Amino acid sequence: MAIRRCSLVLVFITLWLSTKAKIDVCKRGDVTVKPSHVISLGSAVNISCSLKPKQGCWHYSSFNRLILYEFNRTISFHHGGSLSTQVTDLPLGTTLFVCKLACINSNEIRICGAEISVGVVPEQPQDLSCIQKGEHGTVACTWDRGRDTHLYTKYTLELNGPKTLSWQKQCSDQYCDHLDFGFNLTPDLRESIFTATVIAVNVLGNSSLESVFTFLDIVRPLPPWDIRVTFLNASSSRCTLQWRDEEWVLLNRLRYRPSRSRSWKMVNVTNARGRHDLLDLKPFTEYEFQVSSKLHLHKGGWSDWSESLKTQTPEEEPVGTLDVWYIKQHVDYNRQHISLFWKNLSISEARGKILHYRVTLWEMAGRKTTLQNLTRHTSWTWVVPRTGYWAAAVSAANSKGSSLPTSINITDLCGAALLAPRQVSANPEGTDSILVSWQPPEKAGSAVREYVVEWRQLLLEGDARPRPNWLRLPLHSVSAVLSENIKPYVCYEIHVHALSAGQGGCSSILGNSKHKAPLRGPHISDVTEDKGSVWISWDHFPAQEQVGCILHYRIYWKEQDSHSQAQLCEIPYRVSQNSHPINSLKPRVTYVLWMTALTAAGESPPGSERGFFLQGAGAAAGGEAPDTLVLS
């Protein structure tokens, strides 16, 4: 009883406060709106403001100045006890109008206000659909409500079925476009027809949409779960995919793909009862599997896809053969290095994790194995006698077996001059590629079986030789684009090999994908005199300062303190060269000397200057030697 009395008191207090607020806000006058506080877009509205008796300025109406504001913007004013105006072109949504009284020498006094809401009639809903997920799920419907009405709009959803079955649900929030009835359709209604209707209503009008569904249109099974895969005899050639489903499922569809692929392979299976065999999977490949379900062969919709199962297929024995290349280098008079290099098998060829490579080298006379080794690296080097003819074989092994060996005969790759390709050129092809072109050997072109273009970063004498890159090309090729391990502003040593049976010829060129003028010229390290010539020696500067392939060096000299133009000598670039003679210098003259380097992009700044003085002949015996050089 006490609780009921407290509730009544709270209701009374609430009503009294709301009434008092209305009285306090509009105690001096009223604002009226016609035809309504809610109008459709594009309609006009009349707004009136009037003072109550004895609420003006000093009781004289001529001193009353009424002002009507739209938010904070003045739209009308009038001297007297009332004001009326027509407003058009109001925007969608709610607009606040406030009437104020302005008296002389006082602040404006708020009289009253009104809100006007502008909206539209609800559009007809579209795309009404209803779905129940699983046997124990509930029926929920969604629709497209169209454009926003900007008004309070109520949506009513009705579902009518057989035997006067009827359900209804309502919502009125601004974004209402779905409702859940909270009940489920049971299998005994499998042959029934249902009518769903959504009705949208606001003060300006209403609209509706009706759609007819079958039981199978609405009810969809849950996605399959507990997906798993087994491989028979640990082989990728046959695997069984298994899953769990609701009992009433009749049809399944499976999709699977390698994890790195974007396209799926799809399979439909009837009465699968939670399992299906797949026969076309690739070895040692991670696959993604999903399963979906359906209640009828031809009617109804599919369930959502199951969660993905990702698993890797077992390994298989490698297929294909390794691409092997080699380099021979003299160690001394009796010995040579034979270095073998090979490329990794592709994923489809390796068919597993490569554990090691088997490398074999033998002397061809009698095919007696000389050396054999297992390595995890992709290269191997032996020191062997320079006499005899050699052959090698390399194979790759994973946990299931080995690939077929690649066998090669070790010949002199550049020994046959008649097989050397002609007119070899190397030009930039973008910033990360080099286009290499050539012409076949003039007299022995028909003997060529294949071309191999080999390239590696050009390093200075004494630096460790980097691993070569190579590209095999068919016998009719006359060009190749090099893109593997090509960097801009780096010079590469390029060899084009023409290979025949048991012999080969080659031509070489330097190339780069992008170049600039070198950052500096070479540093002159020494100047010496020998038999009337002055020998200039210099230090090679780092590759990162060359920023491309050096084409020439220039040696400049002129007499000290002379204003005449310097003389120069241009020297073609060779990797091994670091000195050059000058023969045109005068005795007993002091000279200033410096060097520059040139790429196809231009000339470097001068290197450091070096001064020297060449004394004339005729010095006494035991004294200073004739024509000796005095360095400054």
Side-chain angles (χ1 to χ4, degrees), residues 382-403:
W382 290 277
V383 178
V384 298
R386 289 178 59 181
T387 58
Y389 296 96
W390 299 86
V394 187
S395 60
N398 63 19
S399 65
K400 293 296 185 73
S402 298
S403 67

Side-chain angles (χ1 to χ4, degrees), residues 423-434:
Q423 301 177 22
V424 176
S425 64
N427 297 292
E429 183 87 352
T431 58
D432 298 308
S433 301
I434 301 172

Side-chain angles (χ1 to χ4, degrees), residues 302-313:
W302 289 97
S303 74
D304 294 333
W305 287 105
S306 67
E307 292 186 2
S308 290
L309 169 68
K310 290 186 177 182
T311 189
Q312 184 167 277
T313 56

Side-chain angles (χ1 to χ4, degrees), residues 24-41:
D24 289 343
V25 171
C26 296
K27 67 180 182 179
R28 292 179 175 271
D30 295 300
V31 171
T32 58
V33 177
K34 292 183 179 180
S36 172
H37 284 262
V38 180
I39 59 173
S40 60
L41 181 65

Side-chain angles (χ1 to χ4, degrees), residues 57 63-67 69 79 100-109 111:
C57 305
F63 289 100
N64 297 334
R65 186 170 185 264
L66 293 176
I67 307 171
Y69 290 93
H79 289 276
K100 294 184 179 181
L101 172 65
C103 298
I104 299 174
N105 298 326
S106 66
N107 295 330
E108 291 181 354
I109 302 170
I111 302 302

Side-chain angles (χ1 to χ4, degrees), residues 256-265 286 288:
Y256 56 99
R257 64 181 178 183
S259 294
R260 295 183 179 181
S261 173
R262 292 186 177 181
S263 58
W264 295 90
K265 187 164 186 178
E286 184 182 66
E288 179 180 5

Side-chain angles (χ1 to χ4, degrees), residues 127-134 137-143 157-159 169 177-185 196 213 217-220:
D127 302 327
L128 175 60
S129 64
C130 298
I131 187 170
Q132 173 183 313
K133 293 185 178 182
T138 56
V139 178
C141 300
T142 61
W143 61 90
L157 179 66
E158 296 178 353
L159 184 66
K169 205 74 178 280
D177 57 7
H178 68 279
L179 280 170
D180 191 323
F181 283 109
F183 67 88
N184 55 18
L185 301 180
F213 302 100
D217 291 331
I218 297 176
V219 180
R220 299 182 186 182

